Amino acid sequence: MKKLWSGRFTAGVAASVEGFTESISFDKRLWPYDIEGTTAHVKMLQKQRIITDVEAQAILTALEEIAEDIRNGRFTFRQELEDIHMNIEAALIEKVGDAGRKVHTARSRNDQVALDIRLYLRDETREVSRRIEAFIDTLVDISEGHIDTIMPGYTHMQRAQPVSLAQHLLAYAQMLVRDRERFEDAFKRIDTLPLGACALAGTTLDIDREYVAQLLGFGRIADNSMDAVSDRDFIVEFISDAAVVMMHLSRMAEEIVLWASVEFGFIEIADAFTTGSSIMPQKKNPDVAELIRGKTARLYGSLMSILTLMKALPMTYNRDMQEDKVALFDAVDTVKVSLEIINEMMQNVRFNNVRMYETAAGGFSLATDLAEYLVRKGVPFRSAHEITGRIVRHCIDNNKKELTELTLEQFHGFSPQIEADIYNALTLESSIANKRAYGGTSPREIKNQIDRLRKLRKETP
């Protein structure tokens, strides 16, 4: 088939080259945006009297018909037409003849593809943000039912201090709040109209870029025609933000895997979100969480791919940039499905409150509470820290599992400031309740945190 750009060529393209250079196999998902952008471009050409009203109407009607054919699976995407832009333009020409040949006036595939990707990413950024918000809601809802559920908190994967399960889950909610803020900020740079830059230098024709921006709802217009067609920063930024989301989901997934093990026994994942073993009948594997960890590596690969792709490209458009969509589309699909599945899975997790409570009580997790008790009695913190350390050592040497197994006389042997009220201070409940500073794990502060998150969600546009 004769190429739309073949005027200066005397020979056709080799079949091997057609297969190597095509992008329709993956960029066909951009078809709604290619039609949306072309529709706005045609209306601008009509407004500026670059094409006639009759030509414009014929093109617009044909675009609607093409869109309907694609939606209903009647459209044939042809590899020899290379990409989604040429496929739609060729279909237009078949339908309306010379009027269709005018649709590319004052436009290049360079600014056209940049437009399509920006339109696509505007929608996908909104959708990713929606899924982040839905997961925040789930974590807040679960947390509200576990404000008084006590579990061990860890540092260095060693039991550290008791915390509320709600506080632990809300830590992930806070990560997701920041994730949403990053996408909200990135949207400002995605929301830029490149159309009108043409190949790289603009056009001698009297176009109206402001009108196109208005039709497509863009907040700004690209200031520099060369930058407009060569900029892929917004793709890098989107994938980078998605990589941070996946890092957060992977951290949660790792804890889900640990918590679901017999060694921890903190949770049971619903059967619908686990798999079995091909050889061990007793196994119930947390494969969904494991795959989220694995897909995180995949998204990191997309980020490195786009960064490497762009790192040495001279101005302006280069065909290398065709590969940006491979990394982008995979990143979009991966972060969306991961947010959706982890949200659904967490709604089907049962928490073993008794096991978490029992585990929180072990490992001398109230040692810091003892040190702070001594501080309240006037002992300098470093001295209190040393005294508490010696008490813990004594308990270990004498096979005592809890600090409260010591008698008051034994406590006095380490510090005369320790009085009978120590036994009330060294309970899981008092440890949690007394951490009342802003952001702490006390029930009061957790309720405040939940209120702030719910208020933030109401204020989210």
Side-chain angles (χ1 to χ4, degrees):
M1 178 182 179
K2 185 179 179 181
K3 305 288 186 182
L4 295 178
W5 43 258
S6 62
R8 63 94 66 213
F9 291 85
T10 58
V13 175
S16 58
V17 172
E18 284 192 342
F20 185 71
T21 59
E22 67 83 23
S23 62
I24 190 61
S25 59
F26 53 86
D27 70 15
K28 61 187 176 184
R29 73 162 68 187
L30 293 175
W31 74 262
Y33 306 101
D34 200 73
I35 288 179
E36 181 183 4
T38 299
T39 297
H41 183 66
V42 168
K43 289 180 178 179
M44 182 275 293
L45 294 177
Q46 177 187 13
K47 173 181 172 292
Q48 298 301 103
R49 297 291 182 251
I50 297 171
I51 62 174
T52 68
D53 293 345
V54 172
E55 289 169 332
Q57 189 55 55
I59 295 168
L60 295 174
T61 300
L63 285 171
E64 291 175 3
E65 293 171 355
I66 292 169
E68 188 67 19
D69 286 344
I70 297 175
R71 271 192 293 269
N72 294 320
R74 296 192 299 263
F75 190 90
T76 301
F77 295 102
R78 292 146 66 177
Q79 185 187 77
E80 65 270 20
L81 291 172
E82 301 177 20
D83 55 32
I84 187 61
H85 323 296
M86 289 301 195
N87 267 266
I88 290 177
E89 185 176 341
L92 268 174
I93 293 171
E94 288 178 13
K95 284 180 175 290
V96 298
D98 281 346
R101 295 181 185 279
K102 294 185 177 184
V103 76
H104 209 56
T105 305
R107 184 176 74 171
S108 165
R109 274 195 293 180
N110 296 0
D111 61 346
Q112 186 180 3
V113 67
L115 172 66
D116 289 3
I117 297 173
R118 287 179 182 275
L119 290 170
Y120 164 80
L121 260 191
R122 286 198 315 188
D123 281 355
E124 294 297 351
T125 299
R126 293 186 185 105
E127 178 58 23
V128 170
S129 295
R130 186 196 67 77
R131 295 188 188 205
I132 290 172
E133 290 159 2
F135 193 28
I136 292 172
D137 289 343
T138 292
L139 293 177
V140 171
D141 289 343
I142 295 172
S143 298
E144 202 158 37
H146 287 284
I147 293 173
D148 297 315
T149 300
I150 298 175
M151 68 173 293
Y154 293 84
T155 64
H156 307 278
M157 275 308 296
Q158 307 296 310
R159 290 181 213 170
Q161 291 182 276
V163 295
S164 164
L165 172 59
Q167 180 78 338
H168 196 122
L169 295 176
L170 290 173
Y172 286 106
Q174 294 294 340
M175 296 180 196
L176 291 163
V177 168
R178 296 193 296 274
D179 290 333
R180 195 209 172 280
E181 289 173 348
R182 272 184 281 272
F183 279 108
E184 183 179 2
D185 190 59
F187 188 91
K188 301 172 187 175
R189 285 169 288 284
I190 296 169
D191 192 31
T192 301
L193 175 74
L195 203 64
C198 296
L200 76 160
T203 177
T204 61
L205 298 171
D206 183 24
I207 62 172
D208 186 344
R209 298 186 72 198
E210 288 78 9
Y211 180 64
V212 177
Q214 179 185 344
L215 290 175
L216 295 173
F218 277 101
R220 65 175 80 171
I221 299 170
D223 284 330
N224 183 290
S225 62
M226 295 178 71
D227 181 56
V229 298
S230 64
D231 172 29
R232 294 297 184 271
D233 293 2
F234 64 99
I235 295 179
V236 175
E237 188 171 5
F238 177 93
I239 300 177
S240 176
D241 292 347
V244 176
V245 173
M246 291 301 298
M247 178 265 289
H248 291 153
L249 299 189
S250 186
R251 293 182 68 181
M252 173 173 269
E254 171 67 8
E255 294 203 309
I256 290 169
V257 171
L258 291 173
W259 291 359
S261 68
V262 174
E263 286 74 15
F264 277 77
F266 290 176
I267 63 173
E268 182 177 359
I269 306 169
D271 288 356
F273 294 89
T274 60
T275 64
S277 165
S278 64
I279 188 173
M280 296 170 283
Q282 83 282 8
K283 293 295 295 298
K284 182 177 178 181
N285 299 325
D287 282 19
V288 170
E290 292 170 356
L291 277 171
I292 288 171
R293 287 187 318 200
K295 288 179 182 294
T296 299
R298 178 170 168 171
L299 205 143
Y300 287 2
S302 293
L303 178 57
M304 292 312 300
S305 175
I306 187 67
L307 286 169
T308 306
L309 176 73
M310 296 301 298
K311 75 173 184 65
L313 293 187
M315 283 290 184
T316 52
Y317 182 83
N318 297 270
R319 191 63 178 266
D320 314 49
M321 293 160 77
Q322 175 175 296
E323 294 299 308
D324 61 2
K325 289 173 283 300
V326 178
L328 174 61
F329 294 159
D330 194 68
V332 168
D333 293 343
T334 299
V335 72
K336 283 168 57 179
V337 72
S338 297
L339 281 165
E340 197 73 13
I341 196 70
I342 198 170
N343 188 10
E344 192 177 351
M345 179 176 63
M346 286 303 296
Q347 293 171 17
N348 291 276
V349 164
R350 183 182 66 81
F351 294 93
N352 187 338
N353 297 2
V354 173
R355 171 66 175 166
M356 286 191 287
Y357 185 92
E358 292 172 347
T359 307
F364 304 103
S365 64
L366 297 175
T368 305
D369 294 87
L370 173 55
E372 291 181 346
Y373 168 89
L374 288 168
V375 169
R376 291 194 296 274
K377 297 291 185 177
V379 179
F381 176 76
R382 277 298 164 208
S383 299
H385 187 284
E386 182 183 355
I387 292 168
T388 302
R390 287 193 282 111
I391 292 173
V392 170
R393 182 73 258 170
H394 174 82
C395 289
I396 293 171
D397 291 344
N398 290 275
N399 296 316
K400 296 183 184 297
K401 304 298 183 184
E402 302 294 338
L403 297 171
T404 51
E405 292 182 34
L406 296 181
T407 66
L408 186 57
E409 182 180 358
Q410 288 172 317
F411 273 125
H412 280 165
F414 293 96
S415 174
Q417 284 88 355
I418 299 177
E419 300 173 357
D421 59 350
I422 187 62
Y423 296 102
N424 290 328
L426 295 183
T427 68
L428 295 179
E429 289 77 10
S430 66
S431 175
I432 295 290
N434 289 332
K435 293 181 172 64
R436 294 186 291 267
Y438 186 96
T441 195
S442 71
R444 183 189 73 183
E445 277 306 303
I446 291 172
K447 289 174 184 176
N448 289 338
Q449 188 180 166
I450 288 173
D451 289 344
R452 290 192 295 270
L453 284 167
R454 292 206 185 281
K455 181 181 179 183
L456 182 65
R457 284 289 289 111
K458 289 179 181 177
E459 294 173 351
T460 301

